[in-house]
Amino acid sequence: METPRPTSQSDFLVNKKRIRVFGLSFDDAIKIFFGGNAVVSIIVLALITYFLFQEGIGFFGQNHRNLLTYRQAGLEYVDFIRTQESGHIALTRYLSDLRLRQYNHYIAEQKMSPAAANEALAKFDEFAAQYGDAVEPIRGMVSDLTEQATAIKTKFLIAEDKKTERQQLLVAGKIDEAAAVKIEAVDFAAELHLLTGILPVYKQTSAEFAKKLDAALAVAPKLSTPELMVRLDRFNQLTHDYLATFPATARSLETWDYTRAVPWYQAISAFLFGREWLTASFWQDWYGIVPLLMGSVMVSLVALVIAVPLGVGAAIYINQIASAQEQRIIKPSIEFISAFPSVVLGFFGIAVLGQSLRWLSQQSWLAWVPGFPFSERLNILTAGCLLALIAVPTIFTLAEDALQNVPKAFKEASFALGATRLQTIIKIVVPASLSGIISAVLLGLGRVIGETMVVLLCAGNRIAIPDFTAGLAVVTQPVHTMTGIIAQEMGEVVRGSIHYRALFVVGIVLFFLSLGINFIAQKIVRKYRISIG
Amino acid sequence: MDIKSPFTTPASGRSIPVTPAPVGPTLIDIDHVDFFYGASQALHDINLKIEEKKVTAFIGPSGCGKSTLLRCLNRMNDLIDGTRVANGQIKIRGIDIYDRSVDVIELRKRVGMVFQKSNPFPKSIYENITYGLRLQGRSSKSDLDAVVEKSLRGAALWDEVKDRLHTSGLGLSGGQQQRLCIARAIAVEPEVILMDEPCSALDPIATVKVEELIQELRTKFTIVIVTHNMQQAARCSDKTAFFYMGKLIEFADTRAIFMNPANAQTEAYVSGRFG
């Protein structure tokens, strides 16, 4: 008798069709495939973050050396006097503005011919010339000192280069050649002696300069209207304030010491709070993010001011008021805007929008608008308008979702209590979806602040902090942005240079900004989900 | 066949006597109404007179049109695209509410509504109750305070929430939320309160509370209640209308409908043989 085979009763649960490859069943393979995709995206994100930091972090060391060189080579010393000189330049600019106003007054109000107006201004011109020329000795001094300091810096940089060269040769094992590289050590004390030696001369020159300015002010002619006289008085006041800074300058020069260490944190604070972004300069490079940050923030603000009412308003209309027919037309149209490549929008901004805005600003009936007329067609306003176009679809879609999520029961209850459609929208629907709308706006902001092409083409690319004293007219000034500067300069910089690394740090700041905005938006959305229950 | 009397319920354990009510004055006169959702007809030639200060129950199987008729009474169906009352009239105190001259906002203030699922606004209890008043422009604090207390007492909720009027209405239990919605509805002092299956999402204890509340409210308001629960209709209502397939099959005193229905379909439904 054969032994009975195991009956089907004992193995009916065993899957006989199971195929295994490398010990993995089909289900396992699917799981690994999808899980793998998720892991890849996380790895990519981690790698991006890692390289961003890896490239960027070296900036602070380099910037510290940069600042140290600035001090050791005496550039800082010269800049004390240069600041004094540029203060004077600002004052003479004020003076020429004053002259222009007086001239316009003569032409427009007193109907003088241009020749007669210039004639009448002869005395003023004399005064302005006397005032302007007073600075010449100081200016000469600055330019001499600039040459000397530049020479020291160049010498130092050459020595540094040689050091690097020798290091590289040593690493390559070419010891003889390395020994042949001559390094001229820079004796800062001796070199700087030339600079600091000028102090007594400076003091004398500066005192004479002050005297000349005082003398010039004394002969300032009267101007023809009270309003202009007020301006002249203001000018007097500004000059006095300016003169009052002279002793401080002298003191800075006296106490200056090239051996004083540059604290490490200055490498960071000079970046985060630096008001100048100046690269490839013959004098001194500055990497301060403030003008770029301000540019980005201003452009984004203008974009939001335009896009929020448009996007949220359209969302409310579509979700609450529009008929099904209108929904079918409007919704895809708005969402279609995001299909435009941003470079096309930028092109449109230059060719059409900037041009039309400038034309509009020069119409006399719009002269009351702050900042009108303006001559720069590429400015914060132009870029902001275009960015608004980019933000509208984002804000619209997300805000509409938020409105859609408001339970219908709320609306019904409101209507049943005798509310009109408008009352229901304002008092029930919008408050109930407010956090969703806010996060829609924040995500729109995130979209806008990271946008590159439009701002690069349309923001005007002038690296300067916008002049907020102009009030609302500030939006007609050109700016540069964080995204724009990276796109513009990254292609030209030497890999590993301080400039290259500075751009990476700008990228890091941008990264954290977007991260923060998205984080807050998500927090708000989560809170909102809970509150609706 | 032994039909168990629906007038005694295990849920409340008490019996509520329903005396045959004398015929009162008609408040709402539904006159030969046909109603359409787009092309499909939901109501066929409905004739019904709802009496003042009475509780009228609409019963019938799902899809029979009872909720649709209820929502016609304060024109809530206007909010749904493609709906229309094709023939007939609905008159409240002799005024055709579908007439062009009628202000639907004013109508809804007079005809309040409580929904199947409790739907307090995501606001405080106080704000929920004063919402309708503020819409009418009433904003004096003492006035609002008084109405809030009166309405909450009217909805038998005052003692439970008086110490937390300014906390969210969504923090209340299901039964409390539904009573809050009733308080919100009575705060604007309507004449009629429409209730669309107000207890279907509540547990038995909360249901008893709302039913007791309905008994109290009938002295001041005319109530129309849609319900799936026949015992509830039997317990709470004075008059009952039975609908089937969009038609009004029978309308009579509640006692008559449940004890001695004239129509065979009605009898089959109330005795639980179909529906």
Side-chain angles (χ1 to χ4, degrees):
Chain A
M1 284 285 282
E2 278 180 76
T3 45
R5 290 191 12 242
T7 56
S8 61
Q9 273 162 352
S10 67
D11 65 349
F12 71 105
L13 281 173
V14 176
N15 181 355
K16 296 170 198 75
K17 287 188 288 186
R18 192 163 54 180
I19 302 165
R20 285 182 172 271
V21 181
F22 301 122
L24 296 174
S25 71
F26 186 63
D27 281 357
D28 291 339
I30 288 179
K31 193 177 151 200
I32 287 172
F33 174 73
F34 286 112
N37 288 343
V39 169
V40 164
S41 60
I42 289 173
I43 289 176
V44 168
L45 189 68
L47 281 180
I48 290 175
T49 318
Y50 171 73
F51 280 111
L52 210 53
F53 276 89
Q54 199 227 350
E55 294 292 326
I57 217 73
F59 164 78
F60 295 106
Q62 285 180 332
N63 199 28
H64 187 254
R65 239 166 297 144
N66 178 34
L67 294 171
L68 200 62
T69 313
Y70 176 67
R71 174 161 292 165
Q72 286 179 336
L75 274 63
E76 187 181 34
Y77 188 83
V78 182
D79 271 346
F80 287 137
I81 312 178
R82 196 193 302 279
T83 311
Q84 189 179 10
E85 188 204 340
S86 41
H88 181 264
I89 293 174
L91 286 167
T92 50
R93 212 172 288 140
Y94 189 100
L95 216 50
S96 11
D97 175 63
L98 207 54
R99 185 190 191 275
L100 185 67
R101 284 169 190 276
Q102 177 69 71
Y103 179 80
N104 286 342
H105 176 78
Y106 282 148
I107 300 284
E109 306 288 327
Q110 303 192 2
K111 309 288 177 216
M112 287 189 184
S113 68
N118 279 328
E119 182 82 16
L121 277 164
K123 225 166 166 193
F124 187 87
D125 287 343
E126 200 178 300
F127 152 67
Q130 194 181 340
Y131 192 94
D133 290 346
V135 80
E136 283 307 333
I138 294 278
R139 185 168 293 159
M141 189 178 262
V142 168
S143 95
D144 288 351
L145 290 175
T146 300
E147 262 172 44
Q148 289 172 12
T150 314
I152 301 172
K153 188 183 174 185
T154 314
K155 224 185 249 180
F156 175 72
L157 289 181
I158 289 173
E160 290 289 302
D161 280 352
K162 294 267 185 196
K163 264 187 209 164
T164 324
E165 191 185 336
R166 177 148 76 184
Q167 201 61 39
Q168 281 167 349
L169 287 172
L170 280 175
V171 170
K174 300 175 183 170
I175 297 165
D176 295 341
E177 287 175 50
V181 175
K182 270 192 189 167
I183 299 176
E184 256 183 86
V186 183
D187 182 0
F188 285 115
E191 301 273 0
L192 287 173
H193 198 68
L194 283 171
L195 284 182
T196 49
I198 208 154
L199 190 59
V201 186
Y202 163 77
K203 278 184 176 164
Q204 201 185 341
T205 319
S206 177
E208 281 168 18
F209 176 42
K211 246 182 243 161
K212 279 188 201 165
L213 288 185
D214 266 335
L217 278 185
V219 301
K222 293 260 180 288
L223 297 176
S224 58
T225 68
E227 194 254 331
L228 289 172
M229 280 312 287
V230 168
R231 281 179 187 275
L232 187 62
D233 283 346
R234 172 96 187 111
F235 176 73
N236 268 329
Q237 185 55 43
L238 286 173
T239 305
H240 283 300
D241 291 350
Y242 172 59
L243 288 174
T245 65
F246 283 20
T249 308
R251 229 178 355 264
S252 304
L253 291 170
E254 277 166 18
T255 55
W256 182 77
D257 176 10
Y258 78 94
T259 55
R260 201 142 46 88
V262 176
W264 61 269
Y265 58 80
Q266 254 185 24
I268 300 169
S269 62
F271 175 78
L272 288 181
F273 308 110
R275 302 168 61 86
E276 259 182 301
W277 180 277
L278 201 62
T279 55
S281 140
F282 80 100
W283 180 245
Q284 169 69 14
D285 287 355
W286 294 108
Y287 302 95
I289 200 173
V290 174
L292 307 173
L293 188 67
M294 277 297 163
S296 285
V297 167
M298 286 306 294
V299 171
S300 308
L301 269 187
V302 170
L304 280 195
V305 165
I306 299 169
V308 168
L310 281 182
V312 175
I316 289 174
Y317 180 77
I318 286 296
N319 192 265
Q320 300 290 322
I321 301 170
S323 66
Q325 176 74 23
E326 286 174 303
Q327 284 187 9
R328 270 198 298 279
I329 298 171
I330 301 176
K331 223 172 136 173
S333 310
I334 293 179
E335 278 156 6
F336 181 72
I337 298 175
S338 59
F340 279 114
S342 60
V343 67
V344 175
L345 277 185
F347 173 68
F348 168 80
I350 293 177
V352 182
L353 188 67
Q355 208 76 19
S356 343
L357 279 178
R358 182 169 61 181
W359 175 83
L360 207 61
S361 81
Q362 285 161 351
Q363 304 307 301
S364 52
W365 54 274
L366 277 175
W368 55 271
V369 180
F372 280 21
F374 55 84
S375 52
E376 298 274 2
R377 78 197 149 107
L378 302 181
N379 53 36
I380 297 177
L381 186 62
T382 311
C385 288
L386 287 166
L387 283 185
L389 217 53
I390 286 176
V392 161
T394 308
I395 294 177
F396 167 80
T397 309
L398 294 170
E400 215 246 318
D401 278 356
L403 291 167
Q404 189 68 44
N405 284 336
V406 175
K408 220 176 130 217
F410 290 168
K411 272 170 73 180
E412 282 195 331
S414 173
F415 282 125
L417 286 166
T420 62
R421 182 141 63 178
L422 193 64
Q423 285 170 327
T424 303
I425 290 172
I426 294 173
K427 295 191 170 192
I428 300 296
V429 178
V430 171
S433 59
L434 193 61
S435 38
I437 291 175
I438 291 173
S439 69
V441 170
L442 281 177
L443 289 170
L445 174 65
R447 176 81 181 77
V448 158
I449 215 156
E451 171 55 41
T452 307
M453 214 57 216
V454 163
V455 289
L456 184 62
L457 290 173
C458 298
N461 296 357
R462 190 185 71 183
I463 306 173
I465 299 173
D467 177 15
F468 290 101
T469 57
L472 272 181
V474 70
V475 301
T476 60
Q477 295 169 5
V479 289
H480 214 319
T481 56
M482 295 193 288
T483 47
I485 203 107
I486 296 176
Q488 188 180 27
E489 297 185 346
M490 194 49 104
E492 303 163 1
V493 296
V494 181
R495 189 159 191 274
S497 68
I498 178 171
H499 189 178
Y500 169 86
R501 294 194 192 283
L503 291 177
F504 267 92
V505 181
V506 173
I508 291 173
V509 171
L510 206 54
F511 174 69
F512 276 109
L513 215 56
S514 298
L515 205 66
I517 290 169
N518 278 285
F519 179 75
I520 295 170
Q522 277 184 10
K523 276 259 150 168
I524 291 174
V525 167
R526 204 162 300 150
K527 186 170 159 254
Y528 151 82
R529 292 238 169 90
I530 291 164
S531 78
I532 289 291
Chain B
M1 160 175 270
D2 175 27
I3 301 172
K4 195 179 154 209
S5 168
F7 296 102
T8 325
T9 123
S12 70
R14 290 177 298 130
S15 75
I16 299 162
V18 178
T19 47
V23 176
T26 300
L27 181 68
I28 305 175
D29 183 2
I30 301 167
D31 184 16
H32 293 286
V33 166
D34 288 343
F35 182 85
F36 287 84
Y37 286 111
S40 73
Q41 188 164 1
L43 295 176
H44 300 267
D45 194 30
I46 306 289
N47 272 302
L48 196 64
K49 285 183 169 51
I50 292 170
E51 291 163 30
E52 197 170 347
K53 303 262 165 74
K54 290 276 171 61
V55 179
T56 305
F58 290 177
I59 61 170
S62 295
C64 69
K66 56 193 189 302
S67 282
T68 302
L69 181 62
L70 188 79
R71 292 168 67 94
C72 281
L73 300 183
N74 67 345
R75 288 181 58 177
M76 283 301 275
N77 285 326
D78 290 11
L79 302 176
I80 303 167
D81 287 338
T83 59
R84 69 203 151 90
V85 172
N87 292 310
Q89 291 178 326
I90 297 174
K91 287 185 190 159
I92 294 181
R93 289 201 192 285
I95 298 166
D96 178 8
I97 60 169
Y98 281 86
D99 192 80
R100 200 187 292 237
S101 66
V102 165
D103 179 1
V104 66
I105 303 301
E106 204 53 47
L107 170 71
R108 290 186 190 140
K109 283 179 197 161
R110 301 271 292 272
V111 184
M113 190 160 187
V114 176
F115 296 85
Q116 180 172 5
K117 192 172 173 296
S118 61
N119 53 359
F121 300 127
K123 298 170 183 274
S124 71
I125 293 168
Y126 188 94
E127 290 289 326
N128 262 288
I129 303 222
T130 55
Y131 181 76
L133 304 170
R134 288 185 196 274
L135 291 178
Q136 296 170 17
R138 285 161 70 175
S139 59
S140 128
K141 182 152 189 324
S142 56
D143 175 28
L144 294 180
D145 286 350
V147 174
V148 167
E149 181 171 350
K150 189 175 153 211
S151 311
L152 285 171
R153 280 192 192 283
L157 193 60
W158 173 254
D159 291 332
E160 292 161 58
V161 300
K162 65 182 175 198
D163 298 324
R164 45 169 174 157
L165 291 178
H166 295 280
T167 60
S168 171
L170 293 169
L172 298 175
S173 73
Q176 289 174 325
Q177 286 192 12
Q178 193 61 294
R179 279 181 284 148
L180 174 61
C181 291
I182 293 172
R184 183 174 65 186
I186 63 179
V188 293
E189 294 177 338
E191 278 187 86
V192 184
I193 301 176
L194 309 176
M195 295 186 174
D196 190 358
E197 300 183 37
C199 301
S200 67
L202 302 184
D203 63 53
I205 294 171
T207 301
V208 168
K209 286 200 172 170
V210 171
E211 284 179 9
E212 285 170 359
L213 178 58
I214 291 170
Q215 292 307 313
E216 284 168 32
L217 293 174
R218 69 197 292 189
T219 58
K220 290 186 199 149
F221 305 96
T222 304
I223 295 172
V224 184
I225 178 169
V226 165
T227 177
H228 265 122
N229 181 339
M230 279 175 285
Q231 290 169 351
Q232 182 172 60
R235 284 194 299 268
C236 313
S237 67
D238 303 308
K239 295 274 215 169
T240 297
F242 172 60
F243 293 85
Y244 184 59
M245 305 277 279
K247 293 191 179 92
L248 175 61
I249 305 299
E250 191 171 349
F251 177 53
D253 278 358
T254 300
R255 175 173 284 271
I257 289 271
F258 282 94
M259 300 305 282
N260 188 21
N263 186 290
Q265 278 177 322
T266 313
E267 195 204 336
Y269 184 73
V270 298
S271 60
R273 264 181 283 138
F274 87 101

